[in-house]
Amino acid sequence: SEALVKCTRLSLDTIRRRMQTSQMYSRASRGKPEVLKPALFQTDVILKIPDIIVKPSFDDIQQGLNKAVQTIIKMTTDFPVWRHTEVQHEQSKREQEIIAEHNRDDTKVVTSTAPKPLWKLISDHKDVIKNVIPLNSIISSFKLECEQSLKEFLVWADLWEHEPTEKVKEFMEEKPLLFDYGTHIKHYLHREIDVRNVRASFR
């Protein structure tokens, strides 16, 4: 069982270390180019006027991670109980029966309980618990970085905060000259170029 505990612990520890590494602030060391590992989770940035949100949400990602953790822990659910464990249980049971036969008085004898299944032994192990606890809420630690990344999109907030027809009406009420038309057209052409140059992904 110790080998299974070690395997489970290393698997959870690998996930925890990957999740605790912030790609936003990582830098190449000693002049070597930085090698980015594949992302464990991916979300989409969605404009839900007037808000900019990520989908799936942080809560959904955390729930998915929790399910993955439980799947890792319960991988041994279908493993049969080790033979030596069954022998020890039967031996303990016989010893309790012998004690019960010798105790003719009202002395209470504690009966032996059935051995725990392997997955339960693994989930209750202190080294496994030490890795599970931080993973249960680790996604929340990325909220600040994500919010900072989403703020980069606020420079275009005027494009969805104001109705286009109202903007045109206001512009026409100023009785613009031909030069003003050209200025506005160039302005929005530059905005379009800026939008097209937005980073395709954030890490």
Side-chain angles (χ1 to χ4, degrees):
S1 60
E2 286 301 317
L4 293 173
V5 169
K6 181 179 180 181
C7 181
T8 303
R9 177 182 61 80
L10 291 176
S11 297
L12 297 175
D13 186 61
T14 299
I15 296 176
R16 180 180 60 83
R17 289 178 182 275
R18 282 288 306 278
M19 297 297 294
Q20 287 180 338
T21 301
S22 172
Q23 297 289 353
M24 177 177 288
Y25 301 108
S26 61
R27 294 289 185 271
S29 59
R30 297 183 180 179
K32 297 181 180 180
E34 181 182 0
V35 179
L36 296 178
K37 296 180 179 179
L40 290 180
F41 298 98
Q42 291 184 349
T43 61
D44 293 322
V45 178
I46 297 176
L47 173 60
K48 189 176 182 181
I49 298 175
D51 301 315
I52 302 173
I53 63 173
V54 292
K55 192 173 182 179
S57 65
F58 285 104
D59 291 338
D60 292 338
I61 297 175
Q62 184 64 66
Q63 290 177 11
L65 178 60
N66 292 345
K67 289 181 180 179
V69 169
Q70 291 304 312
T71 298
I72 292 173
I73 293 176
K74 294 184 178 180
M75 284 294 290
T76 57
T77 299
D78 296 329
F79 281 28
V81 178
W82 299 147
R83 178 59 184 162
H84 74 85
T85 305
E86 292 180 340
V87 172
Q88 289 178 349
H89 174 63
E90 291 298 327
Q91 182 178 355
S92 176
K93 186 177 180 181
R94 285 196 298 269
E95 291 175 354
Q96 293 294 334
E97 291 174 352
I98 294 173
I99 294 174
E101 290 178 0
H102 286 289
N103 288 333
R104 300 300 182 182
D105 53 10
D106 295 331
T107 303
K108 185 178 179 181
V109 178
V110 179
T111 59
S112 122
T113 58
K116 288 184 179 181
L118 282 175
W119 74 266
K120 186 63 175 174
L121 290 173
I122 292 173
S123 63
D124 290 345
H125 197 281
K126 60 182 180 64
D127 290 337
V128 173
I129 293 175
K130 187 165 60 175
N131 281 280
V132 170
I133 291 176
L135 286 173
N136 285 335
S137 58
I138 197 169
I139 298 298
S140 61
S141 64
F142 292 95
K143 283 188 176 181
L144 178 59
E145 287 187 13
C146 183
E147 289 173 356
Q148 291 176 346
S149 297
L150 294 180
K151 287 180 180 180
E152 295 185 20
F153 295 97
L154 295 179
V155 295
W156 296 286
D158 61 295
L159 297 178
W160 61 77
E161 289 179 347
H162 305 286
E163 287 291 336
T165 53
E166 291 296 326
K167 294 286 291 184
V168 172
K169 183 179 179 181
E170 292 176 3
F171 176 68
M172 296 305 296
E173 288 177 351
E174 296 176 357
K175 297 180 180 180
L177 301 174
L178 185 59
F179 173 80
D180 297 323
Y181 282 100
T183 301
H184 273 69
I185 291 174
K186 289 180 181 179
H187 169 73
Y188 285 105
L189 283 175
H190 287 304
R191 297 301 298 274
E192 181 182 359
I193 293 174
D194 291 339
V195 170
R196 292 182 182 275
N197 290 332
V198 173
R199 284 189 290 169
S201 63
F202 295 82
R203 296 182 66 93

